[in-house]
Amino acid sequence: MTLTTTVEHQHADGHTLSLTFAEPDGVVRGGLVVLHEETEEVEEGLGLLLAGLAGEGWLTVTPHLDRDNLTQQDLLEATDATLSWLAERGVEADLVGVVGFDLGGTAALVVASNRRLGAAVSVGGQGVTGLPVLVEIAGRLTSPWLGMYGDAGDEAGGAEVEQLRDAAAKAKVATNVVHYPGANHRFDADPDAAAEAWQRTLNWFDAHLR
């Protein structure tokens, strides 16, 4: 199994950021920035996610973020530092993507609407204090973006997913919003939806990062 490693990466301004990464065993196809919702330590589940993506050939890295005090500026600065780390390891800009799960999915959409990357994926997501409302920024996407959302069986939640799809369709990049009725934000209560979302994630990166 691919192991993860945590390092301290120094920003251009002298500040440091903790990064946890997993490397493929073979040729590196590109790089993926994984945005997550943990406040302090990268838990085992996230480590398995990093290892799983690395197993597909991606140099996969996650910045340690403080979600409780996270602002858009903090998020973008941390992402930029992580992108710099990938560039230092020879990953070309058009072969870099960002992916986020649950609250990280919200963060991934924010990044994809403010940075030009090869591709972006959001799996679930909901509002986070300090970050823009998703439907307000989806039309300004600058990176090809796939969003996958459950509605927890709530009709209003389903309507919100459809509104997000309509907003994203106005962007000048490729977008796709997939609605999973009945699934929750984490997809952890619906194994079939989770498996399909995982395969769609891999397919999106395969299609756009090459």
Side-chain angles (χ1 to χ4, degrees), residues 41-109:
E41 297 182 358
V42 177
E43 294 187 348
E44 181 181 0
L46 183 57
L48 292 173
L49 171 62
L50 295 175
L53 291 170
E56 298 293 328
W58 307 107
L59 175 54
T60 309
V61 56
T62 184
H64 293 223
L65 304 172
D66 180 1
R67 62 162 273 195
D68 291 330
N69 300 299
L70 187 66
T71 67
Q72 177 172 316
Q73 187 62 29
D74 292 336
L75 170 63
L76 295 177
E77 287 179 356
T79 301
D80 288 342
T82 309
L83 295 174
S84 173
W85 183 88
L86 285 169
E88 291 172 4
R89 278 144 190 81
V91 180
E92 299 180 9
D94 59 349
L95 296 178
V96 174
V98 61
V99 56
F101 296 81
D102 195 21
L103 295 179
T106 297
L109 177 52

Side-chain angles (χ1 to χ4, degrees), residues 9-34:
H9 176 66
Q10 188 169 358
H11 295 232
D13 61 6
H15 289 84
T16 60
L17 175 69
S18 296
L19 301 174
T20 296
F21 68 94
E23 298 179 282
D25 291 332
V27 176
V28 176
R29 301 172 57 193
L32 296 179
V33 177
V34 177

Side-chain angles (χ1 to χ4, degrees), residues 29-188:
R29 301 172 57 193
L32 296 179
V33 177
V34 177
L35 300 174
H36 60 93
E37 60 171 307
E38 307 305 333
T39 57
E40 296 178 357
E41 297 182 358
V42 177
E43 294 187 348
E44 181 181 0
L46 183 57
L48 292 173
L49 171 62
L50 295 175
L53 291 170
E56 298 293 328
W58 307 107
L59 175 54
T60 309
V61 56
T62 184
H64 293 223
L65 304 172
D66 180 1
R67 62 162 273 195
D68 291 330
N69 300 299
L70 187 66
T71 67
Q72 177 172 316
Q73 187 62 29
D74 292 336
L75 170 63
L76 295 177
E77 287 179 356
T79 301
D80 288 342
T82 309
L83 295 174
S84 173
W85 183 88
L86 285 169
E88 291 172 4
R89 278 144 190 81
V91 180
E92 299 180 9
D94 59 349
L95 296 178
V96 174
V98 61
V99 56
F101 296 81
D102 195 21
L103 295 179
T106 297
L109 177 52
V110 172
V111 170
S113 65
N114 285 275
R115 297 292 184 266
R116 294 184 183 277
L117 303 173
V121 175
S122 296
V123 184
Q126 51 193 352
V128 181
T129 301
L131 298 182
V133 177
L134 303 189
V135 72
E136 295 178 358
I137 61 172
R140 303 198 300 270
L141 280 159
T142 53
S143 302
W145 176 72
L146 167 65
M148 293 173 284
Y149 297 91
D151 59 18
D154 179 64
E155 184 175 340
E160 290 175 355
V161 176
E162 299 306 318
Q163 291 172 5
L164 183 58
R165 175 186 285 119
D166 292 342
K170 298 176 183 178
K172 297 180 180 180
V173 294
T175 65
N176 185 22
V177 174
V178 183
H179 178 195
Y180 290 91
N184 62 16
H185 291 299
R186 295 174 179 268
F187 286 74
D188 54 6

